[in-house]
Amino acid sequence: MAFRPQTLYEKIWAAHVVERRDDGTCLIYIDRHLVHEVTSPQAFEGLRANGRRVRRPELTLAVPDHNLPTTPRLDAQGRPIPIADPESAQQLDALRRNTAEFGIDYIDATAAEQGIVHVVGPELGFTLPGTTLVCGDSHTSTHGALGALAFGIGTSEVEHVLATQTLLLSPSRTMEVRVDGTLGFGVSPKDVILAIMGRVGAAGGTGHVFEYTGEVVRAMSVEGRMTLANMSIEGGARAGLVAPDDTTFAYLKGRPMAPAGEAWDRAVAWWRTLATDPGARYDKSVRLDASEIAPALTWGTSPEDVVPITGTVPEPDSFADPAKRAAARASLTYMGLAPGTAMQDVPIQHVFIGSCTNSRIEDLRAAAAVANGRRVADGVHAMVVPGSGLVKRQAEAEGLDRIFAAAGFDWREPGCSMCLAMNPDKVPAGERCASTSNRNFVGRQGPGARTHLLSPAMAAAAAVTGRLADVRDLMGDRQ
Amino acid sequence: MQPVTRVSGTAYPWGAKNIDTDVIIPAHWLKTITRAGLGRGAFETVRAQPGNVFDDPRYAGSPILIAGDNFGCGSSREHAAWALADMGIRAVIAPSFSDIFSGNAFKNGIVPVVLPQDAVDRLLAVAEAQPIVVDLETMTVTTPFQDRFAFELDPFRRRCLMEGLDEIGMTLAEDTAISNFEAAVRDHRPWIENRSGYASIAVEGAGRT
Ligand code: SF4
């Protein structure tokens, strides 16, 4: 057969086809499955109701994250502190019982390895290049940073994967998202993905899988790539991929669940063949130049509502599309912002540094560098929630917790926290939050909460100035 | 799953764009461990506003919802589909759907009907006063005014909807193919199965030693 150049996506897909149907849908084998407390109880209930077992329990890993309070989990005697909210407690309890009943590995809330499922997977080496990885959570796209075809699924699909270790899927189209050049001073991976969202739009990637390419992506750390891949879903793409390279292998080597010894060498040899072949075709392409990307943030209630920090709140009438004009007007009412206001003049009351987008060690270092020697402004509550217990431990070993504490930030236990306000961490109605998370939807951080998405360094800058601020101004005086 | 071949009746003429799953069912409703009863939380933030379409008595109990582009974007929560089903919605018509939502809709007997924006605009106008019909037999949406809009569905999903098939049961029947695939994985990518490092991690491997 003649050699046909293939994309990274096509190669991973082809390696996982169990069966192809006439209409093009395929039964796809799933190598890795992550489970958390919110989207799994009904799946286990379905298994029980039908007398089904879990086909390959060792390919699944469970960890609670969404519901957990971020207050201390153990008392002075080292005993677990009960969770006050009875519904959360019941869901966490259900995860513990279900994983025990079906023989699935479970990381308890009190374990050092507990954390946000998308932080835990890569950090333990559970996530590997060239695998198919799913989780009942849309930000499963995060794992694509390591070259895994990773996407979120609904609870019926969770049940399907548990019972069969497969999913019935139609192939997606591919879209290259290329960022060339070199990032400017003070520009972080979060700014890159926000710029991409502004360009592609919230529905621009629907039906597609993104592949992030270009010099900026190649030069980026694996953690930075995770910030990109994480928000693929905000652009409508179910998954986002980065081709595995030496950066990826260096990140993974020695992680507890990663292959070791001869298996490692064999794996790396295969992973090296996965990169998109020269001449392979994507269905769509978008290209950004790094020189156009500035520290950025959102002004509205869709992740496509992006503006550079030096910009102003847009005039709804400036949008060509009538539906977008109406949406912008509604957004600005909800956000309590007037068109033409300089973003830097907008005061904030809350800062949230955390979530599966930006809660890894590099994120905390970037925020701590800005917080160091400064004070959280009066009237601002600033919260730092590490993505996992291992991130927290590393940050504490580096003294970042003390920098944050000295600056008046609240240093918490790991979990999803204020990203989706399922646990007690909420932004009160009408108040404004500078947040490193990924969704600025209406009510996302609590009913009536107003969210501006931005990078960890920008969030720290907002905390210490009490308003949305250009982090470059704060970094400048350090040079 | 209940088979669906035809959904007819009044429709909520909403038309809003980029409706995310946090709007369909806010996160605080996600603490349940069952599928039932989520209709009460559906569109909670929308319903808090006076004059909203969901509390308009003309549309009470409508089996159809007409929405704008990118319906169901955001999280993967199947609770969004459960909430719609619990409200009695069996079909959603929009110019586009998020991939995950549309998968969840199918699995819960809700038909995600994709039609071009101008057809959706026309249906929004009709639905103000008249019922509409979504027919899976003919693959059309029709109105009492002779409007007839053809739509497409993946043939497999269409069959699952029309026959109320259990997808897991169907896949389990492919057990041999799956086992053969697993044997090949053991040869070609042995590291997939031999996950190392259990000992160093505080996981409770309940079923295994
Ligand atoms: S941190 Fe936020 S986006 Fe990430 S998994 Fe948790 S709730 Fe979802």
Side-chain angles (χ1 to χ4, degrees):
Chain A
M1 204 172 76
F3 172 77
R4 187 178 69 80
Q6 284 183 307
T7 61
L8 168 61
Y9 172 78
E10 290 171 304
K11 292 182 191 184
I12 302 177
W13 179 272
H16 290 85
V17 175
V18 175
E19 268 188 333
R20 191 184 314 272
R21 317 233 150 139
D22 295 341
D23 62 4
T25 51
C26 293
L27 196 62
I28 292 291
Y29 197 76
I30 301 301
D31 297 325
R32 295 283 185 265
H33 184 195
L34 287 159
V35 165
H36 64 85
E37 76 277 24
V38 177
T39 56
S40 66
Q42 293 86 352
F44 287 111
E45 181 191 76
L47 290 180
R48 259 192 299 271
N50 292 290
R52 289 171 179 153
R53 62 184 187 95
V54 174
R55 183 183 178 91
R56 300 299 307 276
E58 70 278 22
L59 300 184
T60 295
L61 179 65
V63 59
D65 55 5
H66 282 62
N67 245 326
L68 277 180
T70 52
T71 43
R73 310 226 161 106
L74 297 174
D75 66 14
Q77 282 74 47
R79 286 175 310 221
I81 299 173
I83 289 167
D85 176 353
E87 286 185 299
S88 294
Q90 168 184 286
Q91 225 171 34
L92 291 160
D93 211 50
L95 183 65
R96 192 178 305 117
R97 277 186 291 105
N98 285 328
T99 50
E101 179 182 339
F102 288 95
I104 290 169
D105 281 335
Y106 163 74
I107 302 178
D108 190 68
T110 55
E113 290 81 1
Q114 181 273 336
I116 305 171
V117 69
H118 309 310
V119 175
V120 169
E123 141 183 296
L124 295 185
F126 181 78
T127 307
L128 296 176
T131 52
T132 45
L133 183 152
V134 297
C135 172
D137 186 281
S138 59
H139 290 100
T140 308
S141 61
T142 313
H143 307 258
L146 290 103
L149 177 56
F151 49 89
I153 56 178
T155 299
S156 294
E157 289 171 312
V158 171
E159 188 179 336
H160 195 281
V161 173
L162 289 171
T164 70
Q165 206 58 40
T166 64
L167 279 176
L168 199 56
L169 297 167
S170 308
S172 300
R173 292 186 291 276
T174 53
M175 178 163 167
E176 182 185 27
V177 180
R178 185 175 192 87
V179 192
D180 284 320
T182 319
L183 294 178
F185 173 67
V187 180
S188 75
K190 184 63 163 286
D191 302 307
V192 175
I193 191 62
L194 287 172
I196 292 170
M197 291 302 113
R199 173 75 71 84
V200 172
T206 306
H208 291 75
V209 165
F210 289 156
E211 183 179 341
Y212 298 98
T213 65
E215 292 155 60
V216 165
V217 179
R218 290 271 73 89
M220 209 177 263
S221 69
V222 170
E223 294 194 4
R225 294 172 184 182
M226 286 194 233
T227 302
L228 298 190
N230 174 270
M231 288 189 69
S232 304
I233 185 77
E234 270 56 63
R238 203 163 167 185
L241 288 164
V242 177
D245 59 8
D246 287 329
T247 306
T248 321
F249 309 145
Y251 171 92
L252 273 175
K253 189 156 193 188
R255 303 248 166 207
M257 292 184 178
E262 195 197 330
W264 169 262
D265 296 335
R266 234 183 122 178
V268 170
W270 188 63
W271 295 341
R272 285 195 193 283
T273 67
L274 294 174
T276 293
D277 297 321
R281 303 215 17 164
Y282 299 94
D283 295 295
K284 265 198 207 171
S285 276
V286 48
R287 192 184 160 275
L288 283 82
D289 196 287
S291 62
E292 300 159 13
I293 304 174
L297 75 175
T298 58
W299 54 264
T301 57
S302 167
E304 69 184 25
D305 298 338
V306 173
V307 63
I309 182 64
T310 48
T312 55
V313 176
E315 174 60 60
D317 287 333
S318 67
F319 295 100
D321 172 13
K324 182 70 203 178
R325 281 205 288 273
R329 242 174 249 123
S331 277
L332 292 186
T333 307
Y334 180 81
M335 293 296 290
L337 290 174
T341 310
M343 292 309 294
Q344 297 190 61
D345 289 343
V346 176
I348 51 108
Q349 294 80 44
H350 297 266
V351 171
F352 171 57
I353 298 174
S355 90
C356 56
T357 319
N358 286 122
S359 63
R360 298 177 185 82
I361 192 68
E362 292 174 11
D363 300 316
L364 302 190
R365 286 180 192 142
V370 175
N372 195 4
R374 296 192 166 98
R375 285 291 303 171
V376 171
D378 286 344
V380 174
H381 175 242
M383 188 185 256
V384 186
V385 184
S388 73
L390 296 182
V391 171
K392 181 167 189 260
R393 190 192 281 170
Q394 174 71 24
E396 288 172 351
E398 295 179 18
L400 304 185
D401 59 323
R402 292 189 296 279
I403 293 176
F404 285 123
F409 286 79
D410 186 2
W411 179 249
R412 315 279 293 194
E413 295 297 317
C416 293
S417 179
M418 210 181 256
C419 174
L420 93 164
M422 259 189 98
N423 79 354
D425 307 339
K426 291 181 179 51
V427 178
E431 298 196 9
R432 194 176 297 284
C433 182
S435 177
T436 67
S437 56
N438 44 48
R439 287 193 173 137
N440 51 352
F441 298 160
V442 169
R444 173 76 177 185
Q445 295 193 290
R450 296 165 169 165
T451 303
H452 296 274
L453 305 177
L454 33 60
S455 75
M458 289 274 285
V464 299
T465 56
R467 58 181 172 82
L468 300 171
D470 189 337
V471 67
R472 291 171 298 192
D473 297 340
L474 282 82
M475 293 163 89
D477 62 26
R478 293 288 159 101
Q479 285 189 320
Chain B
M1 197 173 79
Q2 284 293 316
V4 210
T5 48
R6 196 178 137 95
V7 185
S8 66
T10 51
Y12 297 102
W14 196 24
K17 240 181 108 143
N18 285 329
I19 293 305
D20 58 70
T21 52
D22 285 76
V23 171
I24 302 173
I25 185 89
H28 68 96
W29 288 92
L30 271 51
K31 295 185 180 182
T32 170
I33 57 170
T34 65
R35 289 172 158 91
L38 287 167
R40 284 178 298 132
F43 302 111
E44 189 174 63
T45 50
V46 181
R47 300 181 85 152
Q49 292 155 21
N52 75 80
V53 71
F54 297 105
D55 290 320
D56 186 327
R58 284 178 294 171
Y59 312 120
S62 291
I64 302 170
L65 170 64
I66 310 177
D69 226 0
N70 202 23
F71 185 81
C73 61
S75 88
S76 65
R77 61 187 72 159
E78 194 160 324
H79 308 69
W82 299 333
L84 295 182
D86 199 47
M87 280 176 78
I89 291 177
R90 305 304 299 273
V92 183
I93 303 174
S96 68
F97 291 87
S98 91
D99 297 337
I100 303 180
F101 175 81
S102 98
N104 286 338
F106 279 113
K107 292 191 170 61
N108 289 280
I110 297 172
V111 195
V113 180
V114 177
L115 285 177
Q117 185 68 52
D118 51 355
V120 171
D121 290 340
R122 167 68 187 157
L123 292 171
L124 284 168
V126 172
E128 298 265 342
Q130 297 292 332
I132 59 180
V133 180
V134 175
D135 191 331
L136 289 186
E137 208 69 75
T138 57
M139 298 295 285
T140 55
V141 179
T142 51
T143 74
F145 303 107
Q146 316 300 320
D147 298 287
R148 184 184 169 87
F149 302 108
F151 66 93
E152 287 176 12
L153 284 184
D154 173 274
F156 173 75
R157 284 176 153 174
R158 176 176 176 228
R159 199 178 124 226
C160 287
L161 280 174
M162 295 182 71
E163 297 176 23
L165 295 176
D166 163 25
E167 207 180 301
I168 296 177
M170 288 165 63
T171 305
L172 284 172
E174 309 291 325
D175 185 61
T176 316
I178 301 172
S179 296
N180 290 344
F181 185 89
E182 286 173 331
V185 169
R186 268 191 290 277
D187 288 345
H188 300 301
R189 290 182 287 132
W191 60 89
I192 295 299
E193 303 220 342
N194 303 327
R195 218 173 73 188
S196 51
Y198 293 111
S200 64
I201 295 184
V203 291
E204 296 175 11
R208 293 173 304 110
T209 46

